[in-house]
Amino acid sequence: MGFMQLVKKGNTSSGIAAVGNLFLAIIKIIAASVSSSGTMFASAMHSFADAINQGFVFFGSVLSEMKPSKRFPTGFGRVINIFCMVAVIVVTVMAYETIKEGWHLIQHPQEATNFWLNIGILVAAFLVDGFILVKAMKEIKHEAKLEDGGNILVSAFKGAKKASPATRLVFYEDLVATSSAILAIIGIVLSQYFDILQADGVISIFIGILMLFVAYRVGYDNMVGLIGVAAPSDVENKIATDLLAEDVVVDIYKLRVIQEGRTYHVEVTVELKKGFTLAEADDIKFQLTDKLLREPEIADVVLGIIEDDEKLTWEERQEEK
């Protein structure tokens, strides 16, 4: 697969978000240096962190699409988790700098200038980050295969666990970024019109704390992804239902589904009706494997077959749950 083909398969949300946040970071830092606004500085740091993170994540999502090789037979799906962990470090450092600057502004408050310049840039940031956020939420619904309709924000939170690490990171980061733009506007208004100069520092610290929340949330999700996490129960049940729909399959002796990014690795042993020859059972094994692999989210299948032991193992396991 050529490099450009890999790039096209990269996570769209993170690529768009990286470009958008880099633009926002540049104009925000210029505004912060002109106006001496602490909340604008905090917002600029957040946008820089987002741009770096999402650039890393996009690159990682491209590499994760590489095909398995002789040396790496299970593929590169978990590469994206590594890049997301690097992004977490960047967010944490930026959050520390933001909180430190906020504390400095509380101790040594200063009046900001160029009110309308700051407001105009923050409104633009809200619109750009809001656009990226909506796109990420739509991508979560698509990746999690949620039905259309209902509140898109609620659906995004429900489907976040089933989305790819890259899309999940963009969602959390731009949710905070959109909120930060609103908070920054509030801080500037309080400082400029109500002479509450410490509001600049307080809002900066609050934005930094939100960034730490993103670092924790994304860091935890990707640490779990690197270790290897069981797929959601509804995914496991769907695979079991597809297999049991075949007349030749009597029961499922063992089933393990590992989630890696937005793909699944399936290890399953099914019980077949008695009386099949070895050749017939072998053909059935290939047919069942092929059926599962037709699902785009299933990356590989290790399927074993045994003869019916006259015990309903899968049904008993479901009753125990």
Side-chain angles (χ1 to χ4, degrees):
M1 186 182 293
F3 178 73
M4 289 309 298
Q5 287 178 299
L6 285 175
V7 170
K8 289 178 181 178
K9 286 191 171 185
N11 185 267
T12 308
S13 291
S14 58
I16 294 172
V19 175
N21 279 295
L22 180 60
F23 168 73
L24 290 176
I26 291 170
I27 62 173
K28 283 179 184 178
I29 203 68
I30 292 171
S33 61
V34 170
S35 65
S36 301
S37 168
T39 48
M40 181 60 78
F41 173 81
S43 187
M45 288 299 97
H46 192 178
S47 293
F48 265 124
D50 286 353
I52 293 168
N53 290 345
Q54 289 152 356
F56 264 120
V57 170
F58 177 73
F59 186 61
S61 71
V62 170
L63 292 181
S64 69
E65 293 293 336
M66 294 172 62
K67 291 183 178 179
S69 64
K70 187 176 181 180
R71 187 176 181 186
F72 302 102
T74 59
F76 299 84
R78 295 188 189 184
V79 168
I80 185 61
N81 296 103
I82 297 172
F83 276 82
C84 284
M85 292 301 289
V86 173
V88 166
I89 296 171
V90 174
V91 172
T92 304
V93 172
M94 292 293 189
Y96 166 75
E97 291 296 328
T98 303
I99 293 171
K100 187 174 77 171
E101 177 65 17
W103 181 246
H104 173 76
L105 287 169
I106 289 174
Q107 293 180 311
H108 307 284
Q110 53 183 318
E111 188 174 353
T113 58
N114 294 282
F115 174 80
W116 289 112
L117 171 65
N118 289 332
I119 294 297
I121 288 175
L122 288 171
V123 168
F126 175 80
L127 294 174
V128 172
D129 283 324
F131 169 78
I132 295 169
L133 177 61
V134 170
K135 181 165 181 58
M137 289 191 291
K138 288 180 178 178
E139 202 153 326
I140 286 175
K141 287 188 72 174
H142 172 71
E143 291 177 2
K145 294 185 176 179
L146 299 176
E147 295 180 3
D148 291 331
N151 187 290
I152 189 172
L153 182 60
V154 174
S155 298
F157 274 110
K158 286 181 178 178
K161 286 186 178 180
K162 295 181 185 178
S164 68
T167 304
R168 201 160 53 231
L169 181 139
V170 173
F171 169 64
Y172 286 130
E173 284 197 338
D174 276 278
L175 183 64
V176 172
T178 307
S179 304
S180 296
I182 297 171
L183 289 170
I185 290 172
I186 293 171
I188 290 172
V189 170
L190 289 174
S191 177
Q192 186 86 12
Y193 282 99
F194 296 91
D195 203 29
I196 308 175
L197 300 183
Q198 284 83 2
D200 214 14
V202 172
I203 295 292
S204 295
I205 290 175
F206 192 62
I207 291 173
I209 291 171
L210 288 176
M211 292 167 71
L212 286 177
F213 164 74
V214 171
Y216 163 75
R217 182 71 260 178
V218 175
Y220 174 79
D221 287 346
N222 284 280
M223 180 181 67
V224 169
L226 282 169
I227 295 170
V229 63
S233 58
D234 58 330
V235 173
E236 188 179 78
N237 290 335
K238 182 181 183 304
I239 291 170
T241 301
D242 287 344
L243 291 170
L244 291 170
E246 298 293 322
D247 291 335
V248 293
V249 177
V250 177
D251 192 16
I252 294 175
Y253 181 75
K254 181 178 69 175
L255 174 61
R256 184 172 72 168
V257 186
I258 302 298
Q259 183 173 0
E260 187 173 280
R262 58 181 172 183
T263 60
Y264 303 104
H265 301 274
V266 180
E267 295 179 21
V268 59
T269 302
V270 299
E271 296 179 21
L272 302 181
K273 290 180 178 179
K274 294 181 179 180
F276 290 111
T277 65
L278 183 61
E280 289 172 335
D282 209 34
D283 288 341
I284 292 170
K285 175 181 176 180
F286 283 114
Q287 289 170 9
L288 295 175
T289 300
D290 182 63
K291 180 179 182 178
L292 293 180
L293 286 173
R294 286 176 192 168
E295 296 292 333
E297 66 269 22
I298 296 179
D300 61 74
V301 176
V302 178
L303 189 143
I305 52 173
I306 59 175
E307 195 173 57
D308 180 19
D309 62 1
E310 298 181 354
K311 295 179 182 178
L312 294 177
T313 308
W314 180 254
E315 190 174 290
E316 289 177 2
R317 187 191 302 178
Q318 296 307 102
E319 287 176 358
E320 288 175 1
K321 290 181 179 180

